[in-house]
Amino acid sequence: MRAAIFRGPRDIAVGERPDPVIQEPTDAIVRVVLACVCGSDLWYYRGESPHAAGSIGHEFVGVVEETGAEVSTVTRGDLVVAPFIYSDMSCPHCQNGSTISCVQGGNFGDGTIDGGQGEAVRVPLAGSTLVPVPGAGHSDQTLRSLLTLSDVMATGHHAAVSGGVRRGDVVAVVGDGAVGLSAVLAARRLGAGRIIALSRHPDRQVIAKEFGATDIVEARGDAATEAVMDMTNGIGADASLECVGTAQAIATAFALARPGSTVGMVGIPHGDVPVAQAFFRNVGWRGGPTPARIYIPELLDEVLDGTINPGLVLDYETDLDHVADAYAAMDERRAIKSLLRIGTL
């Protein structure tokens, strides 16, 4: 089959991988319909995080082609959303809300296991991992939004949940990439009264406002902190959501958090948490990779009934032949998030 192959920093190309086959009775084979490029993929693309040569990509929706003998929750022909981590949903870690830590789990697109940026994927632990989508005849808009549930919208939701967003809260969102924009939408879902989005890009500001941002701050660093403090009468945000992972973004998120609050931190850290600053202000932090499989069912219902439309973050579209362009568009900030059309329903 054809799939995106990571060959090294700034070297993504379409190549051939073995057609996936059932290896365990808990496996399923999924034919990919839509996939996308994740912001975390860019860390590998830029050479800032290690990645084995081979398969890449972990966000996809598709149609079940075949199932192992022990898979009963999905069947051939089902449209499914695949969270970026496969998990058994029954081990102590999954039961404690951390599917990322599943004792039997793993990542799609890690160089060896099939990646979502390819024509098909062998899904281990398919019965507990894949989420079937009810109904038929879904619009393209709906399919795009379903795709975001595999990671980016679930990650934005995790930021808001980890930050303890409650009804009426003032929320500050650091980062205007797809995760940050999804966090704005998630904060609105949870009833935030005021959502301050830090963004310097007009196209992203438009989506942030559509998703529920009430205020936009274009400054960065100390200037951003000063602006938010002025807007909140010197108090700061009830919840601060860090959705980038750079040292500056992490420092800003903690500076914006009011004493006694929690920073929801979901950007892959490439900088240090300012522990002393947080300690003396009683600011906590929670977060990490999102347990997407846990969040997908509740978010799925709202996508299907039109309550949320997170697919708006997918603003660049191409096919598998042009996967290198999909990466370059995001790397050069010509796109918020790149969509790959790979198959059909």
Side-chain angles (χ1 to χ4, degrees):
M1 70 169 183
R2 297 165 67 251
I5 305 295
F6 178 82
R7 303 191 297 196
R10 301 191 182 280
D11 190 359
I12 300 283
V14 179
E16 291 291 328
R17 282 183 50 81
D19 291 337
V21 297
I22 298 292
Q23 298 179 18
E24 301 290 341
T26 52
D27 289 349
I29 307 301
V30 174
R31 175 173 53 80
V32 177
V33 175
L34 297 179
C36 53
V37 178
C38 182
S40 62
D41 293 334
L42 293 184
W43 294 113
Y44 314 132
Y45 180 75
R46 293 166 177 160
E48 297 178 20
S49 293
H51 191 285
S55 63
I56 193 167
H58 53 261
E59 297 170 279
F60 63 98
V61 296
V63 176
V64 176
E65 289 283 279
E66 185 180 357
T67 59
E70 295 181 12
V71 177
S72 60
T73 58
V74 296
T75 189
R76 179 179 172 85
D78 283 350
L79 174 64
V80 292
V81 179
F84 68 99
I85 296 289
Y86 57 87
S87 59
D88 62 17
M89 292 295 285
S90 60
C91 78
H93 302 319
C94 288
Q95 290 293 303
N96 198 40
S98 185
T99 56
I100 188 78
S101 308
C102 178
V103 297
Q104 297 191 76
N107 301 338
F108 293 110
D110 66 352
T112 57
I113 297 167
D114 292 326
Q117 296 166 17
E119 293 178 327
V121 176
R122 179 180 73 88
V123 179
L125 304 174
S128 50
T129 296
L130 298 172
V131 181
V133 179
H138 300 297
S139 69
D140 185 64
Q141 174 180 292
T142 296
L143 291 174
R144 295 163 74 98
S145 287
L146 290 172
L147 175 60
T148 69
L149 305 188
S150 63
D151 185 349
V152 64
M153 179 59 204
T155 297
H157 182 63
H158 190 48
V161 170
S162 298
V165 175
R166 297 172 296 182
R167 186 162 299 280
D169 275 356
V170 175
V171 177
V173 179
V174 180
D176 65 354
V179 172
L181 295 171
S182 297
V184 170
L185 181 56
R188 189 191 73 185
R189 281 190 70 249
L190 295 176
R194 188 178 189 185
I195 303 172
I196 304 168
L198 275 61
S199 173
R200 307 178 87 177
H201 302 89
D203 56 334
R204 301 175 186 222
Q205 293 171 10
V206 170
I207 296 176
K209 290 176 181 177
E210 184 158 349
F211 279 178
T214 56
D215 303 270
I216 301 292
V217 169
E218 295 191 356
R220 287 186 177 179
D222 292 342
T225 300
E226 182 178 351
V228 172
M229 288 300 169
D230 286 346
M231 296 165 69
T232 59
N233 298 316
I235 300 299
D238 299 308
S240 180
L241 311 184
E242 196 290 308
C243 302
V244 183
T246 63
Q248 182 184 71
I250 293 169
T252 298
F254 277 88
L256 299 181
R258 67 181 298 176
S261 68
T262 301
V263 174
M265 190 169 164
V266 297
I268 297 177
H270 286 70
D272 294 328
V273 174
V275 176
Q277 178 196 90
F279 179 84
F280 287 105
R281 294 170 57 238
N282 283 293
V283 172
W285 71 277
R286 293 186 63 197
T290 180
R293 178 60 182 82
I294 294 173
Y295 295 139
I296 288 172
E298 65 177 289
L299 298 172
L300 175 65
D301 289 342
E302 294 192 14
V303 166
L304 293 179
D305 69 16
T307 301
I308 59 173
N309 182 21
L312 290 176
V313 300
L314 294 158
D315 64 338
Y316 184 90
E317 179 178 322
T318 189
D319 56 20
L320 190 56
D321 287 330
H322 298 90
V323 65
D325 296 335
Y327 275 79
M330 289 178 62
D331 180 53
E332 297 164 7
R333 298 189 72 86
R334 293 184 283 112
I336 301 170
K337 191 170 181 68
S338 296
L339 171 74
L340 294 171
R341 290 195 182 274
I342 295 178
T344 57
L345 289 176

